[in-house]
Amino acid sequence: MLNEICECARAKINLGLKVFPPRKDGFHNIESIFYLVDLCDRLFVSVREGVGNCSVHSDDISLPAENTLSMAYKAFCRVTGIESKSIEVRLEKNIPSGGGLGGGSSDAASLVRALEKIHGVSLSADELNKIASSVGSDVFFFCHSFGNKEFAAVVSGRGEIVRKIPYRSDLHIVLVFPNVYSSTREAYALVDEMLADDSALSYPVFNSLEKMYRLPPVEWKFVNSFTAPLCARYEKIKCALDAVKKSGALFSDMSGSGSTVFGVYGSEPDAKNALSLIESEGFDCVKAH
């Protein structure tokens, strides 16, 4: 049995994100393409004496007592029936919270991966889905991407329907952080208001998402339900998106429920040039792929 393990928890961006009205259970169905990028958190998981306890700390972020990591630990124990060793998790946080990049969900999935290794087990797809369903909708995608540095998928349902598609290594991406915290709860409330006003956006047909994804980015027509209401609420997000557009991006949008915005460029030099231009306007940003 392993006593200590390090896991990399990668971020994702959304290429389009259609949000449907809330379901009876409170969740929203979505349609999107999720695409892994190389910005990542790191989890250092150590086995401690005793059983049934998960302690989490980070020098980079203040975490509530109940967080996605503690939830994932409890779900792992409940679903597998394993009386897990007590663990301590040190979280090195590089993915901004409230950024729409799935950081908390990726952290949770990576902890499940570490627990598999620590206990010498391999969970079934059904077990992973049960864990994901009790932690967060994005966790499904990150469980599917286990062991992959490059992974993309068409995602639907509340997030539990994940269909892998070819990863495009020709995309050069710049992530821009407006330094606005956008809670998922607030973002969905804003989208629900938009849907109630019947000001529906025009989205690509679901069955055409993968076909569009294969086109040159300059031809993409992906639409994110969150972009318009979040830009209207937060001027910094709108300004960041404007800066990306001016930098020569072939495609630009906000990721997930925000507040991170991104641009897709045709070459590494174009992305590096855009990074400098966007930084000169006072925004924090990184190059990714």
Side-chain angles (χ1 to χ4, degrees):
M1 179 180 289
L2 296 173
N3 290 325
E4 187 172 36
I5 195 164
C6 174
E7 286 287 334
C8 176
R10 290 179 178 268
K12 58 81 180 167
I13 59 170
N14 294 88
L15 302 177
L17 177 54
K18 181 178 181 179
V19 178
F20 291 84
R23 310 186 320 191
K24 291 181 179 179
D25 60 6
F27 290 106
H28 293 72
N29 282 340
I30 63 166
E31 294 176 354
S32 181
I33 288 179
F34 284 35
Y35 181 93
L36 276 188
V37 294
D38 60 351
L39 178 66
C40 66
D41 293 341
R42 294 190 184 278
L43 282 71
F44 300 88
V45 185
S46 302
V47 176
R48 295 292 182 247
E49 291 186 4
V51 295
N53 182 59
C54 172
S55 63
V56 183
H57 69 274
S58 174
D59 294 333
D60 306 306
I61 186 174
S62 177
L63 291 167
E66 183 80 351
N67 53 71
T68 57
L69 291 168
S70 63
M71 291 167 65
Y73 177 84
K74 292 175 184 177
F76 175 88
C77 297
R78 183 175 63 254
V79 170
T80 62
I82 293 173
E83 189 177 31
S84 175
K85 290 280 189 178
S86 291
I87 62 167
E88 179 180 77
V89 183
R90 178 169 63 86
L91 175 62
E92 180 184 286
K93 193 69 179 166
N94 299 302
I95 304 170
S97 297
L101 300 173
S105 295
S106 185
D107 294 342
S110 293
L111 179 58
V112 173
R113 176 75 164 177
L115 290 169
E116 281 187 312
K117 294 177 180 178
I118 287 170
H119 293 91
V121 298
S122 180
L123 303 190
S124 68
D126 183 58
E127 287 174 318
L128 290 171
N129 283 338
K130 286 179 180 177
I131 292 172
S133 68
S134 63
V135 181
S137 296
D138 285 354
V139 180
F140 293 102
F141 168 77
F142 290 109
C143 285
H144 277 267
S145 69
F146 273 174
N148 291 280
K149 292 183 178 180
E150 300 179 339
F151 190 84
V154 176
V155 178
S156 57
R158 61 166 281 203
E160 81 280 12
I161 304 171
V162 179
R163 180 173 63 83
K164 182 180 178 182
I165 59 176
Y167 187 88
R168 288 189 58 165
S169 57
D170 61 329
L171 303 182
H172 304 273
I173 297 163
V174 173
L175 304 173
V176 184
F177 313 118
N179 293 321
V180 171
Y181 177 78
S182 168
S183 74
T184 303
R185 181 184 296 273
E186 176 196 36
Y188 271 99
L190 291 172
V191 168
D192 287 343
E193 288 178 15
M194 178 186 72
L195 293 172
D197 288 341
D198 200 28
S199 54
L201 300 170
S202 177
Y203 299 92
V205 176
F206 177 64
N207 290 338
S208 73
L209 290 182
E210 182 180 355
K211 182 178 179 181
M212 183 178 294
Y213 165 76
R214 293 173 180 270
L215 296 174
V218 71
E219 297 181 35
W220 287 353
K221 304 295 182 184
F222 295 118
V223 176
N224 184 342
S225 297
F226 292 103
T227 303
L230 266 292
C231 283
R233 173 65 62 91
Y234 296 105
E235 181 69 18
K236 285 185 177 179
I237 299 178
K238 181 181 181 301
C239 290
L241 190 54
D242 288 343
V244 172
K245 291 176 180 176
K246 288 191 297 182
S247 72
L250 301 176
F251 177 82
S252 58
D253 205 347
M254 191 176 73
S255 181
S257 58
S259 62
T260 303
V261 302
F262 66 92
V264 179
Y265 303 85
S267 69
E268 187 83 0
D270 287 346
K272 288 181 178 178
N273 183 59
L275 186 76
S276 297
L277 291 172
I278 298 167
E279 284 180 333
S280 71
E281 296 202 27
F283 292 103
D284 296 328
C285 48
V286 297
K287 188 167 62 65
H289 63 270

